[in-house]
Amino acid sequence: MGQDQQTQQEPAASGEASATAAPVTGTYTGTQTFELGTPPAEATEIAVEITCLDAGTLTLPSGAEVTCRDSNEQMTTGIWSFPLVPGQHTVEVQASEPAISYEVKIAYT
């Protein structure tokens, strides 16, 4: 099976059903389009968290952006949520530099 991140989500520890699908997480370089899969019926937003690993600017379709400075002492993190558009299953993160690396967590909420 490997480390496939598209595995079924475990039930919430409290016994309540989770309102979110499994998040997309990982470390990426350059502009990427993230496939989120079919949103749960309860989903109304998409939550995005980006942590810079290199200098540059990362931009979301909503216009939100994070400017990353070249600093080993403190990583810059941007956290946003925006309304889910009917039929939307992807989120694109545009990178100002093709070699900029970042960590991302994107999930329906």
Side-chain angles (χ1 to χ4, degrees):
M1 284 207 197
Q3 295 178 339
D4 185 5
Q5 294 179 357
Q6 299 298 322
T7 58
Q8 206 170 23
Q9 185 173 1
E10 296 288 326
S14 65
E16 297 176 15
S18 174
T20 61
V24 174
T25 61
T27 300
Y28 300 90
T29 301
T31 297
Q32 298 285 328
T33 299
F34 298 96
E35 174 61 49
L36 304 177
T38 304
E42 314 78 36
T44 59
E45 294 184 323
I46 296 176
V48 179
E49 180 177 330
I50 297 175
T51 301
C52 301
L53 301 177
D54 294 310
T57 301
L58 300 165
T59 307
L60 295 171
S62 65
E65 69 178 36
V66 60
T67 300
C68 311
R69 293 181 170 67
D70 191 13
S71 171
N72 294 331
E73 294 179 20
Q74 182 177 6
M75 289 190 246
T76 303
T77 300
I79 300 172
W80 308 271
S81 63
F82 48 93
L84 176 61
V85 176
Q88 181 178 12
H89 296 221
T90 62
V91 172
E92 183 180 63
V93 174
Q94 293 183 349
S96 63
E97 304 294 330
I100 185 173
S101 293
Y102 52 96
E103 293 177 352
V104 71
K105 180 177 180 182
I106 304 173
Y108 292 115
T109 58

